[in-house]
Amino acid sequence: MINYKIQPELCSHQWKITLSFMQNNHLPIDLRLPDWVPGSYLIRDFSRHIMQIQAFCDGQAVALEQLDKSRWQARGQAGAWQICYTVYAFDLSVRGSFLSTERGFFDGACLFLQVGGRENEPHHIELQQLPANWACATALPCVAEHHFQTASYADLIDCPVELGQIEFLEFKAAGIPHRIALSGFYADFDRARLLADVQKICETELAMFPQPAPFAEYLFLLHVGDNIYGGLEHLSSTALLADRNSLPRYGMKDADDAYTQLLGLFSHEYFHAWNVKSIKPEVFAPYDLHRENYTEQLWAFEGITSYYDDLFLARSGAIAPAAYAKLLAQTITRVQQGKGRLKQTLAESSFSAWNKFYKQDENSSNAIVSYYQKGALAALCLDLLIRKKSGGAWSLDKVMQQHYRDWIATRQGIPEKQWQVRCQDLTGLDLHDFFQTALYSTDDLPLAEYLASVGIELSWQPLPRSHGGGVADEIPADTAPVGDFGARFKQNADSITLSQVFNGSSAENAALCPQDKIIALNGYACTDFAAQWAQLAIGTQARLHFFRAGVLHETVITVQAAEADTALLVIRDKVLLERWLAGN
C-alpha cells in the first residue's frame, strides 16, 4: 500500500505531504512527479513547485539524490519509508493545485510522487487538519471520512479534489447518479434550470453510446469566479472553471451567450469520458507523463468532441436550432479569419500541440490552426459526408459507437493514421480524398456543400471582425465592405495597445508591431479607436502616432477592405436541419 497524508498550510499556499510505504528489499527507491497532466498537452514541470523534500527509513534520514528535474532516488533498504515534501499551490487552473484560506484544489498529477515499480498497488490518501467548515468533493473512492483509496497510481491522479465551501446539486441521468459540486462566490441563480439542462445533455450523450457507460457515477467540479474559463476531463469527473455570471438567472427564457458557453463546457468535458478517456490514441495507452506523447490524432479526440459539445446542446433541447446555427457560424468564422489555417494542417496542429498550440504568442493566429475548432468543422463535414454517401445508413455517431465497443473489448488505443482506416472499414465508404484534404492539406473545407445537405446556406461577408459570425433571415444582397484595421488590441483610456497583427493587413503593411501603443489617429487621442477607425473610408490614408519601447513614432496607414471571411448562415429547410440535429 502506498500512503499519502496531506495537510494544508492555508496562508502560505503550501501542501505538506508525507508519502509512506514499506520496503521489503534493498532495491533503490525511485520517486517521480509527472511533467504534464492528461488532457493538457504541455510539459508543465510540476516539480518546480516542490519546495522541500526529505527521505526517512525507520525514522533515520536517508540521502535523496535528484536525478533530473522531476526524479529523485535513494539507496534502497528494507523498512518503513517516509518521504516528506512541501508543494507550493497557487495555480488557479483546472490542471494544477491551488490553496488559500477560501478553497483548496488539486489535480493529483501535480501533487503525488510516484513510487517506481509500485504503480499498480493500492494508493491511499488521508486529508488532515482541514478547516472545520470545509467540505470535500472528489470522485476518489471514499473508505472513511477524509480517507480515499484507489487501485493504482493512474486511478489516483485521475480524480481531482475540491475543498472548501461547496454546494452540491444532484440528479440522475439514465439511472446513473450525477453531482455538481459548486464552489466560489456567486449570486442566487436558477438551480432547477441548470440541473434540468445538464441532465438532458448527459442523458443525450449516454443514449448515443452503447452500455456500459465508462463510469458508475459522475462528478462535475464547477468553480466560478471572475472572468475565468476552462475544463479538464477525467474518467468519472471533470474540473470546470467559469465566470459566475454564466450561471442561469431566474426568468431566463432562451439561454444567453454566457450560459450557453457554460453548458457547452459541461457537454465537452462529459463527452471526453468516452472520447479520449476511453477511446484514445495508442500513444496514450498508457500515458507516459514524463515526456511528450506525440500524435496526429488530437483532431479526432478534441476536434470531434468540440463538434459534439455544441451539437448535444441542440440535440438535447437545451438550446434551439437557430442558437446552434449561431454557434456554428462563430466557429466557422474563427477558423476562416485565422491565417494559420493556410500554413498548418490539422495533422500538424495535433502533432505540434506541445510547442505551438499550448505555447501561443502574438504570431500564433498567423501560424497555426486550432485542432479544436477546425477539428470540429472537419468532424461536421465528415458526419454529413458519411450520411450522404451511405444514404443515411451510417453517421459519425455510429462510427463513434463502434470505436467505443472496440475499446470495451480490447482496451487498445488507436494507432497513428488508423482512425481514418477504421472509419472507412466500418462504413464501407471510400473517404480517402476527404481525409487527405481535411487532415493533410491546408485547403479550406467544403462547408457550404455539406451544410446545404442539412438545409443551411453559408455565405461569406466582408463584415467587421467584431461581428464574429451569426444567423440571418436572408443573405444580404450587396454588403458594403468595411475597413479592417487588421490587429487585435486593448483599448486604454486614451490609447490602444496592440496584441496581435494579422498577416497582409492594414496594420502589418503600416509596419505596426505587437505591443505598439497607439496614442493618436489623425491627430486625435484614441479614446474609442474602433469607432474612430470605422469613420475612415476604404482606400484612404491616416496618420498614426505610437510609442514603441518608449520611443515616439509616426506612420501612415492605408485602410484596407475587410475580407469576406465572416460566416452568415441562413436556415433554408428547418425540417432537414432538425432531423440532423436529432441524430436522424
Side-chain angles (χ1 to χ4, degrees):
M1 176 86 73
I2 307 298
N3 299 283
Y4 302 85
K5 293 182 179 180
I6 307 168
Q7 177 182 326
E9 298 287 345
L10 305 183
C11 294
S12 58
H13 319 296
Q14 296 174 15
W15 300 103
K16 303 289 187 180
I17 304 172
T18 300
L19 162 62
S20 61
F21 53 90
M22 293 297 299
Q23 179 84 350
N24 58 11
N25 57 48
H26 293 276
L27 295 176
I29 304 298
D30 191 79
L31 305 168
R32 301 187 76 171
L33 193 70
D35 292 308
W36 63 282
V37 58
S40 185
Y41 307 107
L42 175 69
I43 297 296
R44 298 193 179 274
D45 294 333
F46 294 126
S47 59
R48 74 189 190 276
H49 296 305
I50 295 180
M51 300 172 61
Q52 294 176 311
I53 182 168
Q54 294 176 297
F56 302 88
C57 183
D58 292 333
Q60 300 297 312
V62 178
L64 271 179
E65 179 185 4
Q66 186 164 4
L67 302 182
D68 59 33
K69 63 185 178 181
S70 56
R71 184 182 174 199
W72 293 260
Q73 192 175 83
R75 189 167 58 187
Q77 62 185 78
W81 280 81
Q82 285 188 328
I83 312 298
C84 302
Y85 60 105
T86 302
V87 178
Y88 178 69
F90 206 66
D91 177 8
L92 183 58
S93 76
V94 293
R95 59 187 174 268
S97 69
F98 180 88
L99 187 60
S100 72
T101 56
E102 296 171 347
R103 73 181 282 252
F105 171 86
F106 60 82
D107 184 294
C110 68
L111 220 61
F112 297 126
L113 286 169
Q114 173 184 348
V115 182
R118 303 184 66 171
E119 296 86 355
N120 293 322
E121 295 183 23
H123 285 61
H124 181 272
I125 299 173
E126 179 184 354
L127 301 174
Q128 298 182 322
Q129 298 184 27
L130 299 179
N133 61 344
W134 276 23
C136 176
T138 181
L140 287 167
C142 184
V143 293
E145 185 178 14
H146 296 157
H147 288 255
F148 306 90
Q149 188 167 310
T150 63
S152 68
Y153 181 81
D155 293 340
L156 172 71
I157 64 171
D158 197 32
C159 298
V161 174
E162 177 74 34
L163 300 165
Q165 299 290 322
I166 301 173
E167 178 181 359
F168 290 94
L169 306 174
E170 300 182 2
F171 64 92
K172 285 189 176 181
I176 298 174
H178 288 65
R179 291 186 300 160
I180 301 173
L182 181 60
S183 61
F185 296 97
Y186 49 90
D188 194 17
F189 69 97
D190 191 341
R191 290 162 177 78
R193 172 73 177 269
L194 177 66
L195 281 171
D197 286 340
V198 176
Q199 180 185 37
K200 288 187 293 187
I201 293 165
C202 293
E203 288 178 338
T204 304
E205 296 191 19
L206 284 161
M208 173 177 151
F209 286 100
Q211 296 299 313
F215 44 79
E217 57 183 358
Y218 197 89
L219 173 66
F220 295 99
L221 300 175
L222 174 60
H223 179 72
V224 298
D226 183 26
N227 196 31
I228 56 176
Y229 180 82
L232 187 63
E233 69 273 6
H234 300 274
L235 184 60
S236 57
S237 64
T238 182
L240 309 176
L241 295 177
D243 190 282
R244 59 176 59 90
N245 294 315
S246 64
L247 295 170
R249 64 184 182 274
Y250 289 105
M252 178 187 292
K253 294 182 180 179
D254 295 333
D256 62 16
D257 290 346
Y259 182 48
T260 298
Q261 184 185 52
L262 176 61
L263 292 178
L265 186 61
F266 274 91
S267 178
H268 183 99
E269 304 305 339
Y270 192 69
F271 192 83
H272 271 315
W274 291 271
N275 196 35
V276 89
K277 298 306 294 185
S278 299
I279 314 162
K280 63 184 60 176
E282 183 179 55
V283 72
F284 291 173
Y287 298 100
D288 181 346
L289 297 179
H290 307 291
R291 63 176 182 85
E292 295 90 343
N293 295 187
Y294 291 102
T295 175
E296 291 183 349
Q297 299 185 81
L298 289 184
W299 71 269
F301 295 94
E302 292 294 354
I304 288 178
T305 300
S306 295
Y307 166 57
Y308 275 109
D309 60 21
D310 287 342
L311 185 63
F312 277 121
L313 301 188
R315 190 178 290 183
S316 67
I319 64 173
Y324 171 76
K326 178 183 176 181
L327 293 174
L328 181 57
Q330 292 170 341
T331 300
I332 294 170
T333 301
R334 282 194 292 269
V335 172
Q336 190 71 18
Q337 290 183 343
K339 297 298 184 182
R341 80 182 200 284
L342 304 175
K343 302 178 180 71
Q344 187 184 57
T345 69
L346 262 183
E348 291 168 343
S349 175
S350 299
F351 195 83
S352 65
W354 300 90
N355 69 334
K356 290 192 175 183
F357 186 81
Y358 273 90
K359 291 185 177 180
Q360 294 192 34
D361 59 24
E362 67 280 351
N363 190 52
S364 292
S365 63
N366 297 318
I368 68 173
V369 69
S370 169
Y371 54 81
Y372 285 88
Q373 294 170 0
K374 188 176 180 182
L377 299 182
L380 164 73
C381 292
L382 177 61
D383 187 15
L384 298 181
L385 176 61
I386 291 172
R387 291 170 184 269
K388 181 179 180 181
K389 293 190 72 169
S390 69
W394 277 90
S395 66
L396 186 56
D397 287 12
K398 293 184 178 180
V399 172
M400 296 302 296
Q401 290 161 7
Q402 189 57 50
H403 278 318
Y404 183 57
R405 292 189 189 96
D406 292 343
W407 165 256
I408 292 173
T410 68
R411 291 299 196 266
Q412 298 295 308
I414 300 176
E416 292 301 288
K417 302 186 187 298
Q418 289 304 300
W419 198 101
Q420 305 92 282
V421 173
R422 288 190 184 185
C423 181
Q424 294 181 88
D425 289 346
L426 289 172
T427 61
L429 303 174
D430 181 0
L431 305 171
H432 176 269
D433 289 347
F434 171 80
F435 284 124
Q436 284 300 118
T437 297
L439 305 185
Y440 301 106
S441 83
T442 57
D443 294 348
D444 288 332
L445 296 166
L447 288 162
E449 173 188 349
Y450 293 134
L451 287 173
S453 69
V454 289
I456 297 177
E457 180 182 355
L458 166 62
S459 172
W460 297 108
Q461 298 294 317
L463 297 170
R465 189 174 294 268
S466 59
H467 183 283
V471 177
D473 293 330
E474 283 295 337
I475 300 299
D478 186 17
T479 303
V482 297
D484 183 34
F485 179 54
R488 289 195 176 98
F489 58 85
K490 177 185 177 183
Q491 177 67 58
N492 309 312
D494 55 2
S495 65
I496 62 169
T497 303
L498 304 189
S499 57
Q500 291 181 313
V501 176
F502 306 127
N503 287 165
S505 67
S506 303
E508 185 181 67
N509 290 331
L512 293 171
C513 301
Q515 303 308 314
D516 284 351
K517 182 178 181 181
I518 299 175
I519 60 172
L521 172 61
N522 282 336
Y524 293 94
C526 297
T527 53
D528 186 350
F529 185 83
Q532 292 166 275
W533 178 265
Q535 295 175 8
L536 302 177
I538 294 171
T540 60
Q541 293 185 329
R543 287 182 299 113
L544 290 176
H545 287 85
F546 61 96
F547 281 105
R548 178 180 295 166
V551 178
L552 183 63
H553 294 268
E554 180 181 357
T555 189
V556 174
I557 187 168
T558 301
V559 181
Q560 297 176 198
E563 295 182 26
D565 57 10
T566 298
L568 287 186
L569 301 182
V570 176
I571 299 172
R572 296 297 186 191
D573 191 323
K574 290 184 178 180
V575 173
L576 278 179
L577 174 60
E578 291 175 359
R579 185 183 304 161
W580 164 53
L581 294 180
N584 300 323

